[in-house]
Amino acid sequence: MWTYVLFNIKSNLKRKENLILIVLFIICEIALLFILNTKSFTESPYQTSLGISIASVSQKNDPKLYQKFMDEVNLIRQTIDKGEQDGKEKNWKSYCENKVKVSVLEAQWYMVTSSMPNDSYFEHADVLEELRKEYGLTDLSQYEKLIVQKSNDINLYFCSMQQARYFDYLLKHDLIPITYSYVDASSVSLQIARYILPVVLPLLVGLLLFQQRERRAKTEKTILTISGVKKKYVRWNLISDVLFVLLVVFMPILVYMIVLVPFKGVSNLIYPVLYYKPGFTGFHYWDTQGLDHIELVASGLTNMSVNQFTTPGMELMPLWQCTLFVAFGLVLSTTFYVLLITVLSKLMKNKYLSLLVFLVVLGLCSFASPLGNMQKINTFNPMSYRDFGMNLLGTSYFGYFAGIVIIGLYSVILYLVLKWCAKKVHV
């Protein structure tokens, strides 16, 4: 079997049309990496701190305590300013330390001013309390009697809580804050996966494989006469086509990683990224009803929503682990695209028609499910999962687990259709 698979891969690589496509693909990737690298120098590693709101506080309840509270607020503002200055001077250890302090105090204040029960709504409150003691920060709960009206808005708490844990992780692992567009040996695969492959991968599969039926016609007449081979033939072709596309996609990424290692190393393999845990562990559709817009805050290589109800479920994951999960999603997506173009090529005599239908179907599915869509019916739209990085990292309305299950089911269905084609249409 593997002899046949390797033969198919080699023959695909030798075709002039495929070589041109591969070269164009690599040029696009290199151009993207250059643009991202340039852009990363102008980006901030994190948005300015939210600060402490004093709108709900009144001095009438206790003037002396109010003055003490205002002194605390001024110290927090000074810490924010100090952190911003450290960021400009690239004094990253002090920068992260100040960010942790401000974020812990912000999160605690949002707990104090909230009317929500602490044990039900405030995740990681115990972690924040430990950080407050570890960094020698004041306890803002002592100023609760100054509050005249509590709020039920807890979204800002989640944002500050995630910031505190994020920057504490950087400090404890001796990591330098990086920006959303940052490119090095550790992040290059994630950047390509979310910027190029959602659009280019289906195009690449369609253009690389749409001529397969015509090219294999003569070989098939010989192979299918061999006893016991016909049942395995569909599987052999599928494996060879998937491996061929994966080789085209992942080999350049591996080369980029090797080339970038001497420049920036691989220390960022343990860099924290925020992923949406409910969407990672089960079917979870994000309820965003009533939101007019979504405010995103840059958090290293990920974006975190300030006003979206997905924020409470965000957890930290090391970059190497995130990369593996995204890569698995890419392998599954590639298998789905290969199966789809193969089935269409078997059902349609004209190879150009099969390619056109392939592109139109995926194009319409993409149009029906833009990356910011909120329609629950698109849970079953395969193109809602064309960017598994977004599904995993919390900037898509559909979770990673749902994508793996849905794309997996479509792939199984297409494989069964392909086997039926082998019997009815004689491959």
Side-chain angles (χ1 to χ4, degrees):
M1 181 187 86
W2 289 110
T3 302
Y4 176 77
V5 169
L6 291 174
F7 168 77
N8 263 346
I9 293 174
K10 288 179 181 179
S11 63
N12 278 324
L13 288 172
K14 289 178 180 179
R15 290 186 63 82
K16 188 181 296 184
E17 301 92 329
N18 288 347
L19 287 175
I20 293 173
L21 283 172
I22 294 170
V23 170
L24 290 174
F25 175 60
I26 292 173
I27 291 173
C28 289
E29 288 183 324
I30 294 174
L32 169 72
L33 297 179
F34 177 79
I35 292 170
L36 290 178
N37 187 59
T38 303
K39 185 180 178 182
S40 67
F41 289 109
T42 61
E43 292 177 331
S44 171
Y46 217 97
Q47 187 174 349
T48 304
S49 297
L50 301 172
I52 298 291
S53 173
I54 61 173
S56 60
V57 175
S58 173
Q59 62 178 329
K60 294 180 180 180
N61 295 349
D62 191 329
K64 289 185 178 180
L65 188 63
Y66 178 81
Q67 186 56 52
K68 184 180 177 183
F69 171 72
M70 291 307 298
D71 291 339
E72 295 282 5
V73 171
N74 288 330
L75 285 174
I76 292 171
R77 288 170 177 167
Q78 292 174 19
T79 305
I80 291 174
D81 294 338
K82 177 67 166 56
E84 296 305 314
Q85 187 61 36
D86 286 332
K88 293 177 182 178
E89 296 174 357
K90 297 185 178 181
N91 184 4
W92 298 122
K93 185 174 182 180
S94 177
Y95 173 85
C96 291
E97 191 173 313
N98 286 319
K99 286 289 187 181
V100 173
K101 292 178 179 178
V102 171
S103 300
V104 168
L105 291 173
E106 286 174 351
Q108 187 192 31
W109 184 243
Y110 294 131
M111 290 177 65
V112 173
T113 57
S114 174
S115 60
M116 301 294 185
N118 291 5
D119 57 341
S120 301
Y121 287 88
F122 297 99
E123 297 183 13
H124 299 297
D126 54 339
V127 176
L128 288 171
E129 180 60 19
E130 291 176 5
L131 291 175
R132 186 188 69 78
K133 294 177 180 178
E134 180 182 341
Y135 286 87
L137 303 174
T138 188
D139 186 356
L140 295 182
S141 62
Q142 63 184 298
Y143 303 110
E144 186 172 5
K145 64 183 295 186
L146 297 174
I147 301 169
V148 292
Q149 184 177 2
K150 291 196 172 187
S151 169
N152 61 1
D153 183 9
I154 60 172
N155 290 315
L156 293 178
Y157 162 79
F158 296 120
C159 186
S160 295
M161 177 266 290
Q162 304 294 7
Q163 285 188 106
R165 295 168 60 230
Y166 172 82
F167 282 107
D168 179 64
Y169 184 103
L170 294 185
L171 274 174
K172 289 182 168 64
H173 291 82
D174 197 26
L175 294 169
I176 294 174
I178 60 179
T179 64
Y180 188 77
S181 301
Y182 184 82
V183 176
D184 69 354
S186 306
S187 65
V188 64
S189 56
L190 178 62
Q191 298 292 22
I192 290 175
R194 64 185 177 188
Y195 276 104
I196 283 188
L197 295 182
V199 175
V200 172
L201 183 57
L203 287 173
L204 199 63
V205 171
L207 294 174
L208 288 174
L209 302 181
F210 84 106
Q211 299 184 84
Q212 294 288 50
R213 179 186 175 94
E214 183 180 274
R215 290 173 45 236
R216 288 172 175 167
K218 294 181 180 179
T219 309
E220 289 173 356
K221 290 180 181 179
T222 304
I223 291 179
L224 294 180
T225 59
I226 304 174
S227 178
V229 169
K230 185 174 181 178
K231 292 182 179 180
K232 301 177 182 178
Y233 185 69
V234 171
R235 185 167 67 250
W236 292 356
N237 279 331
L238 175 62
I239 292 173
S240 64
D241 290 344
V242 171
L243 288 179
F244 167 57
V245 176
L246 292 178
L247 183 66
V248 172
V249 171
F250 285 104
M251 187 56 69
I253 293 176
L254 181 61
V255 173
Y256 303 143
M257 292 175 67
I258 294 172
V259 170
L260 290 170
V261 165
F263 295 96
K264 299 178 180 178
V266 292
S267 61
N268 284 324
L269 281 173
I270 60 171
Y271 199 88
V273 294
L274 288 164
Y275 75 102
Y276 187 55
K277 188 174 181 179
F280 177 72
T281 56
F283 284 93
H284 191 85
Y285 177 82
W286 299 347
D287 184 8
T288 55
Q289 293 181 358
L291 290 181
D292 296 325
H293 71 285
I294 296 172
E295 183 181 347
L296 294 177
V297 177
S299 172
L301 290 168
T302 50
N303 280 326
M304 179 172 58
S305 172
V306 175
N307 59 350
Q308 194 176 355
F309 290 109
T310 59
T311 305
M314 301 298 283
E315 296 290 345
L316 297 174
M317 175 187 289
L319 179 57
W320 68 265
Q321 193 173 345
C322 165
T323 302
L324 288 179
F325 284 122
V326 173
F328 178 74
L330 284 173
V331 172
L332 197 58
S333 294
T334 301
T335 304
F336 167 72
Y337 295 139
V338 170
L339 280 165
L340 181 59
I341 187 65
T342 306
V343 167
L344 291 173
S345 68
K346 301 302 181 188
L347 296 176
M348 299 176 184
K349 294 182 179 181
N350 190 303
K351 62 181 181 181
Y352 295 103
L353 179 60
S354 65
L355 176 62
L356 178 62
V357 172
F358 173 80
L359 296 177
V360 168
V361 167
L362 295 184
L364 290 175
C365 287
S366 298
F367 180 78
S369 180
L371 294 178
N373 80 88
M374 294 180 283
Q375 301 298 320
K376 291 186 179 181
I377 189 62
N378 279 315
T379 301
F380 303 98
N381 185 335
M383 298 312 285
S384 294
Y385 312 101
R386 60 188 179 276
D387 185 347
F388 271 101
M390 289 187 69
N391 299 126
L392 177 64
L393 301 181
T395 44
S396 167
Y397 292 96
F398 303 99
Y400 178 88
F401 180 79
I404 296 299
V405 172
I406 296 298
I407 299 299
L409 284 174
Y410 283 142
S411 297
V412 170
I413 293 170
L414 286 171
Y415 180 71
L416 294 176
V417 172
L418 188 60
K419 293 195 74 173
W420 175 84
C421 289
K423 295 178 180 178
K424 301 297 181 181
V425 191
H426 305 295
V427 191

